[in-house]
Amino acid sequence: MNVNDSVTKTKFDNLYSCRESILDALKRTTDVMFGGKQVLVCGYGEVGKGCTAALKGLGATVTVTEVDPICALQACMDGFRVHRLDEVVRQVDVLITCTGNKNVVTRSHMDRLKNGCIVCNMGHSNTEIDVGSLRTPELTWEKVRSQVDHIIWPDGKRIILLAEGRLVNLSCSSVPSFVVSISAATEALALIELFNAPPGRYKHDVYLLPKKMDEYVASLHLSAFEAHLTELSDEQAKYLGLNKAGPFKPNYYRY
Amino acid sequence: MNVNDSVTKTKFDNLYSCRESILDALKRTTDVMFGGKQVLVCGYGEVGKGCTAALKGLGATVTVTEVDPICALQACMDGFRVHRLDEVVRQVDVLITCTGNKNVVTRSHMDRLKNGCIVCNMGHSNTEIDVGSLRTPELTWEKVRSQVDHIIWPDGKRIILLAEGRLVNLSCSSVPSFVVSISAATEALALIELFNAPPGRYKHDVYLLPKKMDEYVASLHLSAFEAHLTELSDEQAKYLGLNKAGPFKPNYYRY
Amino acid sequence: MNVNDSVTKTKFDNLYSCRESILDALKRTTDVMFGGKQVLVCGYGEVGKGCTAALKGLGATVTVTEVDPICALQACMDGFRVHRLDEVVRQVDVLITCTGNKNVVTRSHMDRLKNGCIVCNMGHSNTEIDVGSLRTPELTWEKVRSQVDHIIWPDGKRIILLAEGRLVNLSCSSVPSFVVSISAATEALALIELFNAPPGRYKHDVYLLPKKMDEYVASLHLSAFEAHLTELSDEQAKYLGLNKAGPFKPNYYRY
Amino acid sequence: MNVNDSVTKTKFDNLYSCRESILDALKRTTDVMFGGKQVLVCGYGEVGKGCTAALKGLGATVTVTEVDPICALQACMDGFRVHRLDEVVRQVDVLITCTGNKNVVTRSHMDRLKNGCIVCNMGHSNTEIDVGSLRTPELTWEKVRSQVDHIIWPDGKRIILLAEGRLVNLSCSSVPSFVVSISAATEALALIELFNAPPGRYKHDVYLLPKKMDEYVASLHLSAFEAHLTELSDEQAKYLGLNKAGPFKPNYYRY
């Protein structure tokens, strides 16, 4: 059961949680001021959308890199310039990767970063920044604080590398209990569904959580916000062709 | 071919376009100031997300109604209170429907609206507001401007109904050429695909536009924003298991 | 009595009102989509702050020009790049002046604007754009709509000039009744004060409205938002050295 | 020399710095998720404006209390409901004081807070929350982390008090070096001015920093953002009646 792609899990773990943890991770490690900073975010998936929204909200100027034209167009419509890393690498104050890809930031890029640039990774592996390429004799590593290394070039230039390129939202921030609650509820429901499912419902394959359970996880968490759902009348449910208890959307719905 | 649910079409026609046209429609018809206004938006789908974001950005206080717990939770995380219409109907200055449902706003609700409340519809039919229920002898209709009616209660209370409950984004605003371009490109590609498809690819059924075409439509529009896509290296494409030309996401990806 | 610089007047006429009227003026005249557009705002005073906030909120990328380093620093902290007009003139989709200065946009600048650029003025005179310099034989003017001229260069390039360089917030938008109410109340109170003032309070000079009256105008408009003021206790007023009825701030307070 | 009220000092120490440190202080002490939270901010001065903007940007729903009708009206126009503490005290998840006043939050208020409410102070003294009233036998204090106390009511209700009511931006966050630079530059310039001033320029009184110095401090910090000022031409300076080197604004200008 692929709970990782259920809606509530994706949005909370990837979008809403990262929107806060990028700020938290940067503050706890570097005390940097966000206002006025030039930030480059590589990748405009859920994580990238969260990071850019948070930083824009605090007065940073954010540029985005993307390979997918649909996500690139979303970045444009959300007010971000979309450039290639090569085009902007010399100007950025903070560089954040969240692509899920490897070697997005190479030694060649880091050679061109400006003095004092902060480099960190919010994606889902430690491969996005080619940290290995920084372990060469001419560069000096100086650990200035837990999870914070200064890499010093021969000319004195320093870049500030967080968590040695591992995920800063896990290494340098903490996960709010609300997000844990959403994830745990989703996983528990998946297990209950697998346990209770009549023989034959699931074969040896990977399944998405049934939408109704996804909706159930969401409904369990609404009371924390004193949110009150509207109920469909019989007439309305009939008009929409829906069951009053859900599911309320087709499977391809994007939220 | 269901082009209506392709990503670029959905986002542009429903989210990005409505984010602007709700403001435009309200201004052109009523010249209302948005700052400080209490607005109720019924429905937090793509249209509702666009309307609320725009109004919040201009200093309105927005409350949301929802039937779907996932969308309700999204509204919470985006900073909106989620209530039932009954709970807030007496306080709102502007009431906007975008549910796709029928009789969301009934005569009983409108009886309780405060004097001067603006009522309009951004959903996909003219059924959301029960306008028929307002055509009774004790209420007086006064056309004050094209697309603007005052409905006057016996005690002198007025509500301001726009476009007689039809879609204000079509009736009282205009569609930017950029949105038309996206929609037309999507539709044209769907027709070309149907024309060129080898016999048997499509049966008598409804299909979503192949993702690659969706991505192609997006890529055609990036130059308008001087946006520059990043290209995957061979090594990266292999790492991600993707073709360098796309498609870049699984079909269930939500953007 | 200089009512123009009283707080409520400044903020409503210049900041809050322009935040909405720039959008309204651009939509009514050009139907342009704001999302993804590159906008240049000349001047980051109250009007510039309003225009930039509104456009940023709708997904435009905004750059600012400024002569005053304090306002320039504010623009940085609010997330805008600060450049000189010369540096960015070739890239912008929309160019808005709000400096109060003259000849901020010259013929030389307009020669370098890209095809389709919208040029308009939100400042307090029609001198900011050197419109006179466009009335030369080699340029063709084409009126495409009320308040909208296309100026056509010999190579076919068009710029879209609104209101012939006059204030678009007056020429192409309307002033919300709420703003009129604030302004009228401020002016009326100024006249009442002058009429009632004992001989000698005012000499032949220009005075700012007494702060207490400014506060009174504000308090009169709070009920429109169902806003409830907190009252100081006797103990708190004494602690702060204030009269419970105001004024609440020193004269140099900036709000 | 009152450097505390110079523009750059006020905006950086009070507005821009607090916009970031409120988030930082809350995260480091409580790991709370901001999205969807109901926050009450007492006071809408520079500090309150910073706190509310940051929290709104991250999806919290913010209500404001104010005694000054002008600031209250600003809160309305920025999209916040303005209520008295009594009206909303039972609903809030986070309560932040920034009034500069005393006993804004009393024992009686805290008796009505809901379980788990976070209470903290961003104002300029430790008097805003009546912490003394919580030191009574029936309440239990439990220190759960440095700077974090749980106060436990006889029925088990807990409130989370940060820094025992002292300033959380100093106790639980750190001041970015950029803000320190602005403040130190302002103070140094004030001392230089006093040292260099010809006899008689300053009497035994409190003075604001001359605006030109305020502008100079700002200009020194623009290069950190690669911001480029525009220079007035001779003709423009004459038109505006300004010296090309500043000062650029009258003393009462509010920024």
Side-chain angles (χ1 to χ4, degrees), chain B residues 12 16-17 19-21 23-24 27-29 31-38 53-54 57-59 90-91 93 114 145 173-179 224-226, chain C residues 12 16-17 19-21 23-24 27-29 31-38 53-54 57-59 90-91 93 114 145 173-179 224-226:
Chain B
F12 273 85
Y16 303 127
S17 184
R19 183 174 68 178
E20 305 194 4
S21 59
L23 303 178
D24 192 25
K27 277 289 186 200
R28 288 198 208 214
T29 50
D31 299 320
V32 68
M33 189 170 206
F34 301 125
K37 287 291 182 301
Q38 301 194 62
L58 290 172
R90 288 181 192 282
Q91 303 154 28
D93 299 306
K114 70 181 177 193
R145 194 188 275 193
S173 173
S174 62
V175 180
S177 54
F178 196 86
V179 175
F225 304 117
E226 293 173 27
Chain C
F12 273 84
Y16 302 127
S17 184
R19 184 174 67 177
E20 306 194 3
S21 59
L23 304 178
D24 192 26
K27 277 288 186 201
R28 289 198 207 214
T29 50
D31 299 320
V32 68
M33 190 170 206
F34 301 125
K37 286 293 181 301
Q38 301 194 61
L58 290 171
R90 288 181 192 283
Q91 303 154 27
D93 300 304
K114 70 180 177 193
R145 192 188 275 192
S173 172
S174 63
V175 181
S177 54
F178 196 85
V179 174
F225 303 118
E226 292 173 29

Side-chain angles (χ1 to χ4, degrees), chain A residues 20 29 54 109:
Chain A
E20 305 195 4
T29 51
H109 294 128

Side-chain angles (χ1 to χ4, degrees), chain B residues 143-188:
Chain B
K143 179 162 232 71
V144 297
R145 194 188 275 193
S146 167
Q147 308 287 358
V148 185
D149 288 287
H150 283 191
I151 321 292
I152 310 169
W153 265 251
D155 65 356
K157 179 185 93 168
R158 284 162 187 253
I159 69 167
I160 302 164
L161 178 67
L162 304 186
E164 301 184 34
R166 294 182 309 274
L167 279 73
V168 285
N169 45 332
L170 298 184
S171 302
C172 312
S173 173
S174 62
V175 180
S177 54
F178 196 86
V179 175
V180 174
S181 170
I182 294 262
S183 300
T186 306
E187 283 155 21

Side-chain angles (χ1 to χ4, degrees), chain C residues 130-165:
Chain C
D130 185 4
V131 173
S133 73
L134 296 173
R135 302 195 187 280
T136 55
E138 78 278 21
L139 301 185
T140 309
W141 286 56
E142 187 180 317
K143 178 162 235 72
V144 297
R145 192 188 275 192
S146 168
Q147 309 286 358
V148 185
D149 288 288
H150 282 191
I151 320 293
I152 310 168
W153 265 250
D155 65 357
K157 179 184 95 168
R158 285 163 187 252
I159 69 167
I160 303 164
L161 178 68
L162 305 186
E164 300 185 33

Side-chain angles (χ1 to χ4, degrees), chain A:
Chain A
M1 189 76 71
N2 170 8
V3 292
N4 209 41
D5 286 313
S6 64
V7 189
T8 44
K9 184 74 166 43
T10 320
K11 295 288 182 186
F12 274 85
D13 256 24
N14 301 0
L15 177 64
Y16 302 128
S17 185
C18 290
R19 185 174 65 177
E20 305 195 4
S21 60
I22 182 61
L23 304 178
D24 193 24
L26 287 170
K27 278 287 186 199
R28 290 198 208 214
T29 51
T30 67
D31 299 320
V32 68
M33 190 171 205
F34 301 125
K37 287 291 181 300
Q38 300 194 60
V39 181
L40 181 68
V41 175
C42 299
Y44 202 66
E46 297 285 355
V47 176
K49 286 176 174 80
C51 292
T52 51
L55 290 161
K56 180 186 182 183
L58 290 171
T61 313
V62 185
T63 304
V64 164
T65 71
E66 249 302 336
V67 299
D68 180 332
I70 296 180
C71 295
L73 203 55
Q74 289 185 294
C76 292
M77 298 307 295
D78 293 340
F80 305 111
R81 290 292 114 202
V82 178
H83 287 295
R84 285 185 290 269
L85 184 44
D86 274 332
E87 299 172 290
V88 292
V89 70
R90 289 181 192 283
Q91 304 154 27
V92 297
D93 300 303
V94 183
L95 170 51
I96 302 164
T97 54
C98 32
T99 67
N101 202 347
K102 69 185 279 194
N103 292 342
V104 172
V105 179
T106 65
R107 171 68 185 267
S108 156
H109 294 128
M110 291 185 278
D111 283 342
R112 283 172 285 158
L113 287 173
K114 70 181 177 192
N115 185 35
C117 182
I118 299 168
V119 178
C120 70
N121 172 35
M122 291 280 292
H124 36 243
S125 70
N126 64 351
T127 58
E128 307 209 12
I129 302 162
D130 186 4
V131 172
S133 74
L134 295 174
R135 302 196 188 278
T136 55
E138 76 279 20
L139 301 186
T140 310
W141 285 57
E142 187 181 315
K143 178 161 232 72
V144 296
R145 191 188 275 194
S146 167
Q147 309 287 358
V148 185
D149 288 288
H150 283 190
I151 321 294
I152 310 169
W153 265 249
D155 64 357
K157 179 185 94 167
R158 287 162 184 254
I159 70 167
I160 303 164
L161 178 67
L162 304 187
E164 301 185 34
R166 294 183 308 274
L167 279 72
V168 285
N169 45 331
L170 298 185
S171 303
C172 312
S173 173
S174 62
V175 181
S177 54
F178 196 86
V179 174
V180 175
S181 171
I182 294 262
S183 300
T186 306
E187 284 155 21
L189 279 174
L191 291 171
I192 292 169
E193 164 70 10
L194 285 177
F195 186 81
N196 286 340
R201 177 179 292 174
Y202 298 106
K203 306 202 180 58
H204 279 296
D205 205 345
V206 178
Y207 292 87
L208 288 175
L209 193 69
K211 184 169 291 285
K212 205 164 167 177
M213 291 200 182
D214 221 345
E215 293 177 352
Y216 181 58
V217 171
S219 70
L220 289 174
H221 288 84
L222 287 173
S223 66
F225 303 117
E226 292 173 31
H228 302 159
L229 277 186
T230 301
E231 225 182 307
L232 292 175
S233 68
D234 292 334
E235 184 205 15
Q236 290 176 327
K238 197 176 158 197
Y239 176 75
L240 296 168
L242 293 175
N243 187 312
K244 284 170 72 171
F248 296 101
K249 299 287 190 304
N251 275 322
Y252 60 76
Y253 189 78
R254 296 190 189 89
Y255 298 92

Side-chain angles (χ1 to χ4, degrees), chain D residues 98-252:
Chain D
C98 32
T99 66
N101 201 346
K102 69 186 278 195
N103 293 341
V104 172
V105 179
T106 65
R107 171 67 186 269
S108 157
H109 294 127
M110 291 185 279
D111 284 342
R112 283 171 285 159
L113 288 172
K114 70 181 176 191
N115 186 35
C117 183
I118 298 169
V119 178
C120 70
N121 172 34
M122 292 281 291
H124 34 244
S125 70
N126 65 351
T127 58
E128 308 210 10
I129 302 162
D130 186 3
V131 173
S133 74
L134 295 173
R135 302 196 189 278
T136 55
E138 77 279 21
L139 301 186
T140 309
W141 286 56
E142 188 181 316
K143 178 161 231 73
V144 297
R145 190 187 276 193
S146 167
Q147 308 288 358
V148 184
D149 289 287
H150 282 191
I151 321 293
I152 311 169
W153 265 249
D155 65 356
K157 180 185 94 168
R158 286 162 185 253
I159 69 167
I160 302 165
L161 179 67
L162 303 187
E164 301 185 33
R166 294 183 309 276
L167 278 71
V168 286
N169 46 331
L170 298 185
S171 302
C172 311
S173 172
S174 62
V175 181
S177 54
F178 196 86
V179 174
V180 175
S181 171
I182 294 262
S183 299
T186 306
E187 284 154 21
L189 279 174
L191 291 172
I192 292 169
E193 164 71 10
L194 285 177
F195 185 82
N196 285 341
R201 177 179 293 175
Y202 297 106
K203 306 202 179 58
H204 278 295
D205 203 346
V206 178
Y207 292 88
L208 288 176
L209 194 69
K211 185 170 290 286
K212 204 164 168 177
M213 291 200 181
D214 221 346
E215 293 175 354
Y216 182 58
V217 172
S219 71
L220 289 175
H221 288 84
L222 286 174
S223 66
F225 303 118
E226 293 173 27
H228 303 159
L229 276 186
T230 300
E231 224 181 308
L232 291 175
S233 68
D234 292 333
E235 183 205 14
Q236 289 176 328
K238 195 176 159 199
Y239 176 75
L240 296 169
L242 292 175
N243 187 310
K244 284 169 72 171
F248 297 100
K249 298 288 190 301
N251 275 322
Y252 59 77

